[in-house]
Amino acid sequence: MSAVGVGRGRVKRPTRRALPWAVLVVVVAVSLVVGASGRSGRETNAQRSAAIDAHIKCPSCDGLSVADSSAAIAVAIRQDVAQRVRNGQSDADIEEYLVSRYGQGILLRPPTRGATSLVWVVPGIAVIGGLIGLGVFFWRRRRVESLDVAEADRLVVARALAESRAGGP
Amino acid sequence: VALVVVLATRPTYGATEVWSPLLGQQAPSIHSVTLTGETYDLSQDRGRWVVLNFFASWCAPCQQEQADLVAFAYRHQAIGDAALVSVVFNDSNSAALAYQRQTGATWSTLSDPGSRIALAFGVRGQPETFLVSPSGRVVAHIDGAMSTAFLDAQLTRAEAAGS
């Protein structure tokens, strides 16, 4: 006799069960894309400067951005960033200049280039790996549920169920 | 007892060498004006060592190292191998000038509006000091109050390394 006692009629149709998951995946993907696209529209110089300041660490403070610090060097960096923005330098150029003076530690947001890019890549790989793992898990479970059960086994189970109902309380 | 008294009354200096991306690189250019109105260009000191010291008159560690800097400056001015250059950081020019005069600091002290020189050297606070080689390269970045002995040791080591 097979160890599996699940009847074919109790297995739901895969497409109906997959629908909520598909919706969830679409919602998460759209949220990630919208979130990652960042600032939208045309920014003023002041908005650009403020956004850069928020990602530059105050060199003489503990864990504060230059935007949040009143230290002399933080004030100087804010003025320098504003001047560079007015001069038309890109965010990357400004960050690169500060890194050339203070090192990578000046950036509160790890750069997306070089070895530090692993900080961004590894979580993505972990999420994709996790999703694949979940998919494999559910796929294997569904495969077990969908196994063909021998007619003789089905009869044995049906008989046992009938007997238990007849003799039950 | 005398030794204990001498040790206990000696000033404690907190100078440490710290990393900077500028180490081994050509020093950022400096074109500025001294507190007494002369123009100053870092390139005019090519051929001798430059001790570039960022300071504020109100800062306690800066006051602590000042007598040592004065001693270092006068000794090396006589030899002609090294120059001391100060940069006002996080202080007013008038307070810095009064302080330099009062402490006998007669070397070039640069005004730094907008802390442009400080930013170019990646200064975090005060006192901070950079040792610039005769060829114009940054060879040491020192954080905290320095003694004359510490500064001389830095200079000797850099000279031995042939910077």
Side-chain angles (χ1 to χ4, degrees):
Chain A
M1 182 181 92
S2 165
V4 179
V6 181
R8 191 176 281 163
R10 292 178 62 193
V11 178
K12 289 181 184 171
R13 290 174 65 190
T15 48
R16 192 174 292 176
R17 284 193 340 165
L19 190 62
W21 289 102
V23 170
L24 182 66
V25 166
V26 169
V27 168
V28 169
V30 169
S31 306
L32 285 174
V33 167
V34 170
S37 64
R39 311 185 291 269
S40 59
R42 191 168 176 80
E43 286 178 309
T44 63
N45 283 347
Q47 286 171 326
R48 254 193 78 204
S49 299
I52 296 169
D53 291 343
H55 294 122
I56 303 296
K57 185 179 178 295
C58 164
S60 62
C61 323
D62 278 331
L64 277 181
S65 72
V66 295
D68 298 326
S69 170
S70 58
I73 198 64
V75 173
I77 290 176
R78 283 204 299 269
Q79 290 171 349
D80 187 65
V81 167
Q83 183 64 52
R84 288 172 189 277
V85 166
R86 281 196 296 275
N87 291 346
Q89 291 191 15
S90 70
D91 292 16
D93 288 342
I94 295 168
E95 288 182 359
E96 198 174 316
Y97 171 75
L98 290 168
V99 166
S100 75
R101 289 341 193 217
Y102 290 95
Q104 290 287 352
I106 193 75
L107 302 179
L108 286 171
R109 182 177 55 184
T112 52
R113 285 174 293 182
T116 329
S117 62
L118 287 175
V119 172
W120 299 99
V121 173
V122 169
I125 291 173
V127 168
I128 291 168
L131 287 174
I132 291 172
L134 271 176
V136 168
F137 171 76
F138 285 119
W139 176 72
R140 287 182 67 179
R141 212 172 74 163
R142 200 181 66 188
R143 245 186 81 205
V144 170
E145 285 176 349
S146 323
L147 277 177
D148 282 338
V149 179
E151 195 54 37
D153 290 342
R154 199 184 301 281
L155 285 172
V156 169
V157 171
R159 197 177 303 131
L161 283 172
E163 281 173 8
S164 82
R165 280 191 198 115
Chain B
V1 173
L3 179 67
V4 170
V5 170
V6 167
L7 290 175
T9 54
R10 274 182 66 191
T12 52
Y13 296 97
T16 49
E17 250 195 282
V18 288
W19 178 83
S20 160
L22 293 173
L23 289 177
Q25 307 293 317
Q26 203 65 24
S29 57
I30 297 176
H31 312 281
S32 186
V33 180
T34 68
L35 296 182
T36 49
E38 297 96 34
T39 55
Y40 177 84
D41 196 309
L42 183 60
S43 62
Q44 75 191 43
D45 274 324
R46 279 285 160 81
R48 60 178 174 170
W49 297 91
V50 175
V51 176
L52 191 66
N53 178 251
F54 292 84
F55 81 105
S57 62
W58 52 264
C59 131
C62 305
Q63 293 166 1
Q64 192 179 41
E65 70 177 359
Q66 186 73 349
D68 288 66
L69 292 183
V70 170
F72 177 91
Y74 281 110
R75 186 152 44 83
H76 286 276
Q77 191 180 22
I79 301 169
D81 63 337
L84 206 114
V85 176
S86 291
V87 183
V88 179
F89 177 71
N90 196 13
D91 199 1
S92 70
N93 285 347
S94 56
L97 179 60
Y99 171 76
Q100 293 291 72
R101 281 184 173 153
Q102 184 193 334
T103 54
T106 55
W107 57 82
S108 300
T109 299
L110 309 181
S111 162
D112 187 19
S115 300
R116 299 217 155 270
I117 304 173
L119 265 180
F121 278 82
V123 168
R124 292 169 154 78
Q126 64 286 316
E128 272 187 45
T129 305
F130 292 82
L131 184 57
V132 180
S133 76
S135 63
R137 289 188 185 281
V138 176
V139 296
H141 176 206
I142 300 142
D143 181 32
M146 301 178 298
S147 64
T148 312
F150 181 91
L151 200 43
D152 275 327
Q154 291 285 329
L155 191 57
T156 306
R157 200 180 62 180
E159 281 171 341
S163 300

